[in-house]
Amino acid sequence: MSLGSGERCLPLGSVGADRWRSVLGVATDLDDTLTHHGELTAAVLGALEEVRSLGLPCVVATGRSLGWGAVLARVLPVRAVVTENGGAYVLREDRGLRVAFMEPDDVRDEGMRRVGRCVEEIVDRLPALRVVHDPAARVTDVALDIGERTTVDPAVVREALAMVSDAGLHGITSSIHMHVSYRRADKVGGLRAALGALGLDASALDERWVYVGDSPNDAGAFGAMALSFGVAGVRRFGGRMPSWPAYVTVGDGPEGFAEVVAALRAGRSE
C-alpha cells in the first residue's frame, strides 16, 4: 500500500525479484507518465512493447476523454484504456473496440447537466480557467486546462475546486487538467471493471498488478495497489497528494515508466 508520504517512497531497486515474478499486468497513467510534453517517445513505445513481449497485459488509466481512449486503444499495444478517471473504458478486441460505461445513460445525462451548470459558473467567475477543447468526446466529466496550454495559479484552482464541492460535485486535478464530474474519480474502479470485461482476474489488481503514475488523480491507485510507482515528478505535488506511491523512480515521465519496465524484465529473468 501507499506509504503516505513523498519522503517515505521507496526506491525502485528495493522491489525483490519474487515480487516482479508475481506480476500479472501493468496499468499506467498517460499524461506526464507515458508522455513528455504531450508526446509519446520512442523509449516509452519500446517499453510498452516490452510489456507485451513479457506476455503481460497493459491497461492505460487516464483523465483524458473517451474519444481519446478510443484512439489510444487502437494505436498502442494495450488491452484497454480506462478514461475520464474511471468513468468509461475502451476494450481492444479482435474485431475492433468495445466501449462501456460505469453508470446508465440517465444517470450520466443528469449528472452532466449539473456539471455543465457548475462549469459555466466557474469560467464566469474565474476567467483564467478555460474548458479543454474536447467536450464532445467526454461523457462523464468536463476538463479545465490548468497546465497543458496555460499555467493557472494554484489559488485559482483551489477556489474552483471549492466551487465544485459546494455544488455537490467532484473535482480532481492531474498534472494538466482539473476535472469536474458528478462521480468521484475512481481509476481503480475503472481498472477493475475493464479487467473483468477482458476476462482477467480483477481481484488480483491490488497485489499483483503494477501501477505507474505522477499526479493527484493517480492517488487512488497509489493507495490501493501495493506495486504502485510514481515517476520522479510526483514529488512536485507536495501536500496535494491524498496517497503516495509505494515506490518512486529516478527518471521522470517516460524515463520513469521505462525504468519500471526494465526492472520488471530484469526481475522476472532472475
Side-chain angles (χ1 to χ4, degrees):
M1 297 297 174
S2 165
L3 297 179
S5 167
E7 289 70 32
R8 294 177 60 199
C9 296
L10 297 173
L12 179 63
S14 61
V15 182
D18 287 347
R19 290 292 278 148
W20 289 125
R21 285 193 291 267
S22 75
V23 168
L24 295 178
V26 175
T28 178
D29 174 52
L30 177 68
D31 288 290
D32 294 325
T33 300
L34 292 183
T35 66
H36 177 67
H37 296 308
E39 295 184 356
L40 290 164
T41 66
V44 86
L45 290 172
L48 290 170
E49 286 288 357
E50 183 68 29
V51 173
R52 182 161 64 176
S53 75
L54 291 171
L56 298 173
C58 185
V59 178
V60 173
T62 177
R64 292 285 186 177
S65 69
L66 179 62
W68 268 67
V71 174
L72 293 168
R74 285 188 182 277
V75 302
L76 295 180
V78 299
R79 296 288 304 279
V81 180
V82 175
T83 67
E84 302 184 22
N85 293 307
Y89 56 90
V90 185
L91 306 179
R92 184 172 183 170
E93 299 182 327
D94 291 341
R95 296 188 177 183
L97 302 178
R98 176 157 56 103
V99 174
F101 306 97
M102 301 300 285
E103 296 93 13
D105 292 351
D106 59 336
V107 173
R108 293 200 313 276
D109 291 345
E110 173 57 26
M112 289 302 287
R113 281 192 287 270
R114 295 173 58 211
V115 168
R117 291 193 293 269
C118 180
V119 169
E120 286 181 4
E121 293 179 7
I122 289 172
V123 298
D124 183 57
R125 183 186 300 182
L126 303 170
L129 290 168
R130 290 288 182 267
V131 174
V132 174
H133 297 295
D134 63 354
R138 288 187 175 273
V139 293
T140 66
D141 75 358
V142 172
L144 300 167
D145 189 353
I146 61 172
E148 184 173 26
R149 298 185 178 184
T150 187
T151 300
V152 177
D153 188 324
V156 173
V157 177
R158 288 194 295 271
E159 184 175 352
L161 288 170
M163 292 176 66
V164 172
S165 180
D166 289 345
L169 298 168
H170 300 282
I172 196 168
T173 60
S174 70
S175 58
I176 57 172
H177 294 156
M178 173 183 149
H179 299 269
V180 183
S181 182
Y182 59 89
R183 66 188 313 277
R184 191 179 301 277
D186 186 11
K187 284 188 176 183
V188 173
L191 284 168
R192 292 193 206 285
L195 296 191
L198 288 168
L200 301 174
D201 182 6
S203 69
L205 182 70
D206 291 0
E207 295 294 329
R208 300 187 64 185
W209 274 67
V210 165
Y211 186 86
V212 190
D214 78 300
S215 65
N217 70 331
D218 298 308
F222 290 158
M225 298 173 66
L227 284 170
S228 61
F229 298 85
V231 296
V234 74
R235 295 189 185 279
R236 71 187 183 276
F237 289 100
R240 289 179 283 167
M241 292 291 291
S243 297
W244 287 90
Y247 306 92
V248 67
T249 64
V250 174
D252 197 13
E255 292 181 359
F257 180 79
E259 277 181 51
V260 175
V261 174
L264 172 63
R265 180 185 64 245
R268 293 172 76 85
S269 66
E270 290 183 12

